[in-house]
Amino acid sequence: MMIKRTVLGLVLLLSISMTSKSQVKIGFEVSFKEPQAHYAEVEMNVSGIAAKNYIDLKMPTWTPGSYLIREFSKSVESFGAKAGGKDLKFEKISKNTWRVHNVKANAVKVNYRVYAFEISVRTPFIDKAHAFLSPTGIFMYPDGMIKTPSTVKIIPFSTWSKVSTGLEPVKGEKFTYTASDFDILFDSPIEVGNQDVFEFDAAGVKHEVAMYGGGNYDKERLKVDMAKIVEEGTKIYGENPNKHYTFIVHNYERGGGGLEHLNSTTLGASRNGYGTERGYKSFLSLVAHEYYHLWNVKRLRPKALGPFDYENENYTTNLWVAEGFTSYYGNKLMIRAGHVDLNGFINPLLGSVGTVLNMPGSKIQSVASSSFDAWIIGYRPNENSNNNSISYYTKGEAVGMLMDLEIINATKGAKSLDDVMKAMYDLYYKNLKRGYTDAEFKAMVEKVSGISFAGFWDKYINGTDDIDYAKYLAMAGFNVVNENANRDVPFLGVTTTRKDNKVVIATVLRNSGAWIDGINVNDELVSIDGAPAELAVERMAQITGKKVGDVVKVVVVRDGLKKELDVKLTANKAVRLSYSEVQNPTPMQLTVRKKWTGL
């Protein structure tokens, strides 16, 4: 009887707790009284809360997919709270937490304003033409209630008529949407204005494209070409997990970048870039990258990336898979969709390999460490970053290519990296419903390939070995050469920029003559061997008339003082890779090539 009573008591307690949570209602209303001044007015209503002395409301400090603490609370002002029409006392108890006191009423209304004037795919931006609501920079959440549903009502400015978002609409209520929890809300950007909207169907899913800013795009062409990318991505995983998907595209004079979301993405583009083949393919490549994220990262993810802690850094050593592999698959989707040929597929990959090899930081930082340090280095590089760090995007893309070729070669064309990603998706996202560890990813690679990847991990993931591009491309019957090999080209080892009509040193390359003999970043370059700065910069690539080992006199101004430095020229060791097909490829090389390229 005691056991039965205890169980019954637990059931009753659980039932009461669930009822209490289900009665909590959270609703937002966003309006725009002064969009020209870049403000959103936010009203937050919380009802059904148990009577208590206070409630803490928090603003996220970062946005998933962009690994930097951005302190969104800095843009919040005019915070106030009421219950039953009466003002409630509140205080700010941390950088992103407002504590509202005397919450003894059933419902609390909170009002605040958000200043939004940073153009990017990860931050809110508002002006008289439109509003882009990046949710982590707009919406607060009650502490401990991340899993609580909410509704969002948008009241467009008087001259605006459209809202585009991946959120689910509430039937019968105009511009009103619902989110099952704050993870969904924070993962659903909202575009408000007069954007040009068109649709296409692909993989059984309706896709909406919301174009802001105009541009020379061809809607009918985009519908066809974007659909091909969707179909090719869906083939890898055997399913498209969306009911609907929204592309929010911001077209500026010069735009770029993208941020992935669960059933949407925000893209930056150049409004007149669609008119050239290069610009058009660049946009499609961005589409391919961000769309592939709906499987890789938004569902199949490193263990640290969900459930999210929105107040602190979420560390992982696997962004080389999350982002680097997505860059690699952007290329694969492009060739499979027929948007690029063999050159268009291989040359960007060799470009990434070259970038890694040409960065001294690739000998200092591993790609696993680069992933972990994204929070302190990746999004805020300085003048020395090329010397002491490496991008998990670029090296991750190169690693993806090597791993893909290794798997294809080991299985004689039966398997590829596709099989690894699909197996990981099925096991960790669909079955175990959790993220993976680095060890688990490595184990799956070894299971699919049938060989050990211990050495690969030691060299390319946790180590800093140079990428053996010749070995891996040879597996597919390609010769790769460094066009700069055996060229003894002297160089100084700096890059310059213009500042206040002066030529200023921007970077100094590790172990170059400039590095060894003391040229500093921010030095004003006056002359090299008597040639004035402007002329010297034109000749800097090869230091006309000099050879490796020669000493040149460099005059700089540092902190207002003129300095003369003797700099010994070193050899420019930058690689430039090109490929050609092996003249008589073996049947195995042809098998690997076909599996790898799909051609």
Side-chain angles (χ1 to χ4, degrees):
M1 283 296 291
M2 282 296 293
I3 294 176
K4 289 183 178 179
R5 285 177 180 174
T6 301
V7 171
L8 179 61
L10 285 171
V11 169
L12 286 171
L13 275 173
L14 181 60
S15 176
I16 292 169
S17 173
M18 290 177 68
T19 301
S20 175
K21 284 186 177 181
S22 66
Q23 289 174 344
V24 174
K25 292 185 178 179
I26 301 174
F28 295 94
E29 185 176 283
V30 184
S31 58
F32 309 92
K33 293 179 182 177
E34 296 182 295
Q36 83 289 347
H38 320 298
Y39 279 95
E41 318 294 325
V42 183
E43 179 178 298
M44 179 181 186
N45 290 282
V46 185
S47 63
I49 50 178
K52 54 192 296 187
N53 291 329
Y54 65 84
I55 182 173
D56 288 342
L57 300 178
K58 292 179 173 288
M59 184 72 112
T61 65
W62 68 288
T63 191
S66 183
Y67 307 102
L68 177 68
I69 299 296
R70 297 186 182 276
E71 312 294 17
F72 292 119
S73 58
K74 69 182 183 291
S75 298
V76 174
E77 58 184 73
S78 303
F79 184 96
K82 292 178 180 288
K86 296 181 179 180
D87 290 337
L88 295 178
K89 179 185 175 183
F90 69 88
E91 60 179 324
K92 199 171 183 182
I93 62 171
S94 75
K95 65 180 181 180
N96 68 316
T97 308
W98 288 258
R99 176 166 289 175
V100 181
H101 291 279
N102 302 318
V103 187
K104 295 179 180 178
N106 183 260
V108 176
K109 178 189 288 186
V110 172
N111 291 91
Y112 58 92
R113 308 182 83 201
V114 177
Y115 178 74
F117 194 55
E118 181 182 347
I119 294 177
S120 83
V121 295
R122 53 192 171 258
T123 50
F125 178 86
I126 301 167
D127 65 11
K128 199 168 183 178
H130 79 129
F132 172 61
L133 306 181
S134 180
T136 48
I138 297 291
F139 300 111
M140 295 184 184
Y141 63 95
D143 191 24
M145 297 188 190
I146 283 288
K147 292 302 178 185
T148 306
S150 63
T151 59
V152 176
K153 181 177 182 179
I154 304 296
I155 302 177
F157 186 58
S158 59
T159 58
W160 301 344
S161 61
K162 297 177 184 177
V163 176
S164 298
T165 180
L167 287 169
E168 295 296 327
V170 175
K171 275 189 177 181
E173 297 187 39
K174 191 174 184 181
F175 300 146
T176 304
Y177 307 88
T178 182
S180 57
D181 56 40
F182 277 88
D183 287 320
I184 296 297
L185 177 59
F186 290 151
D187 206 20
S188 304
I190 304 169
E191 177 71 19
V192 191
N194 298 308
Q195 57 271 22
D196 182 18
V197 176
F198 61 90
E199 297 178 345
F200 66 88
D201 290 327
V205 176
K206 178 171 284 188
H207 294 73
E208 175 184 314
V209 183
M211 289 281 198
Y212 163 76
N216 59 352
Y217 54 86
D218 180 335
K219 285 188 277 192
E220 296 308 313
R221 186 183 182 192
L222 281 174
K223 288 178 186 180
V224 173
D225 290 342
M226 292 172 74
K228 290 177 182 177
I229 290 170
V230 171
E231 297 286 358
E232 290 300 330
T234 303
K235 286 178 186 177
I236 296 171
Y237 292 92
E239 66 176 24
N240 193 305
N242 293 315
K243 294 179 182 177
H244 53 84
Y245 190 93
T246 302
F247 293 93
I248 297 173
V249 186
H250 293 151
N251 294 300
Y252 291 103
E253 183 178 6
R254 285 183 296 274
L259 188 63
E260 69 276 5
H261 299 284
L262 195 68
N263 69 337
S264 63
T265 185
T266 305
L267 308 177
S270 297
R271 66 170 61 94
N272 294 318
Y274 303 92
T276 67
E277 200 62 15
R278 181 178 179 181
Y280 184 68
K281 295 294 175 64
S282 177
F283 176 74
L284 289 180
S285 181
L286 178 61
V287 169
H289 178 105
E290 299 303 336
Y291 200 84
Y292 186 77
H293 266 315
L294 77 86
W295 295 281
N296 189 30
V297 173
K298 298 317 302 181
R299 289 165 178 84
L300 170 62
R301 58 176 175 79
K303 202 167 188 179
L305 299 184
F308 292 114
D309 176 351
Y310 292 100
E311 295 190 84
N312 302 291
E313 294 88 344
N314 293 222
Y315 293 104
T316 175
T317 58
N318 287 108
L319 291 180
W320 57 274
V321 176
E323 290 292 352
F325 277 23
T326 301
S327 292
Y328 175 61
Y329 270 95
N331 289 319
K332 295 199 80 171
L333 295 186
M334 287 291 283
I335 193 170
R336 290 175 179 179
H339 296 327
V340 296
D341 58 12
L342 189 64
N343 286 334
F345 173 62
I346 296 181
N347 284 331
L349 295 173
L350 293 183
S352 293
V353 172
T355 297
V356 172
L357 294 174
N358 289 334
M359 291 183 72
S362 68
K363 300 296 291 180
I364 304 296
Q365 185 184 54
S366 71
V367 74
S369 295
S370 173
S371 300
F372 194 84
D373 286 342
W375 298 93
I376 58 174
I377 297 176
Y379 283 85
R380 45 185 174 196
N382 62 25
E383 69 283 347
N384 199 44
S385 293
N386 283 353
N387 289 320
N388 64 12
S389 62
I390 190 69
S391 166
Y392 52 80
Y393 280 90
T394 310
K395 189 169 183 182
E397 181 178 17
V399 167
M401 178 183 72
L402 304 190
M403 191 177 291
D404 200 8
L405 287 166
E406 187 83 276
I407 294 168
I408 296 170
N409 190 64
T411 62
K412 296 180 171 54
K415 303 286 184 181
S416 73
L417 188 57
D418 289 11
D419 297 281
V420 174
M421 302 305 287
K422 172 68 161 57
M424 291 291 293
Y425 176 85
D426 288 344
L427 178 58
Y428 291 98
Y429 168 66
K430 296 181 70 175
N431 186 12
L432 299 179
K433 303 183 188 308
R434 67 168 175 84
Y436 59 84
T437 65
D438 184 73
E440 288 167 340
F441 192 88
K442 176 174 173 288
M444 185 63 78
V445 173
E446 293 180 331
K447 180 180 179 182
V448 170
S449 67
I451 62 173
S452 171
F453 267 76
F456 188 99
W457 246 252
D458 289 343
K459 288 181 179 181
Y460 299 126
I461 309 305
N462 300 317
T464 58
D465 287 24
D466 282 343
I467 294 169
D468 192 349
Y469 53 85
K471 169 189 170 183
Y472 285 92
L473 271 295
M475 293 177 179
F478 296 110
N479 288 319
V480 181
V481 297
N482 172 17
E483 294 180 358
N484 290 338
N486 303 317
R487 292 182 64 198
D488 229 10
V489 178
F491 88 136
L492 199 60
V494 301
T495 64
T496 62
T497 187
R498 295 195 63 85
K499 188 183 296 183
D500 299 327
N501 292 320
K502 298 173 182 177
V503 178
V504 177
I505 303 299
T507 62
V508 178
L509 191 69
R510 183 184 291 271
N511 296 328
S512 65
W515 172 283
I516 295 167
D517 291 318
I519 295 179
N520 288 357
V521 169
N522 294 329
D523 283 351
E524 178 195 345
L525 180 63
V526 177
S527 63
I528 300 176
D529 263 2
E534 295 286 356
L535 185 58
V537 168
E538 290 180 17
R539 298 175 175 177
M540 199 177 295
Q542 298 189 155
I543 308 294
T544 305
K546 301 293 181 179
K547 60 182 183 297
V548 173
D550 284 352
V551 175
V552 295
K553 190 172 293 294
V554 180
V555 179
V556 300
V557 173
R558 183 182 302 163
D559 191 30
L561 301 175
K562 185 173 287 188
K563 294 181 179 292
E564 293 187 0
L565 304 171
D566 290 331
V567 180
K568 187 177 182 178
L569 299 177
T570 54
N572 188 344
K573 296 182 180 178
V575 304
R576 182 180 178 185
L577 303 180
S578 64
Y579 81 96
S580 61
E581 297 184 28
V582 172
Q583 282 192 347
N584 296 299
T586 67
M588 183 60 186
Q589 286 176 318
L590 291 175
T591 296
V592 172
R593 183 187 300 178
K594 182 177 180 181
K595 183 73 171 179
W596 183 47
T597 65
L599 299 178

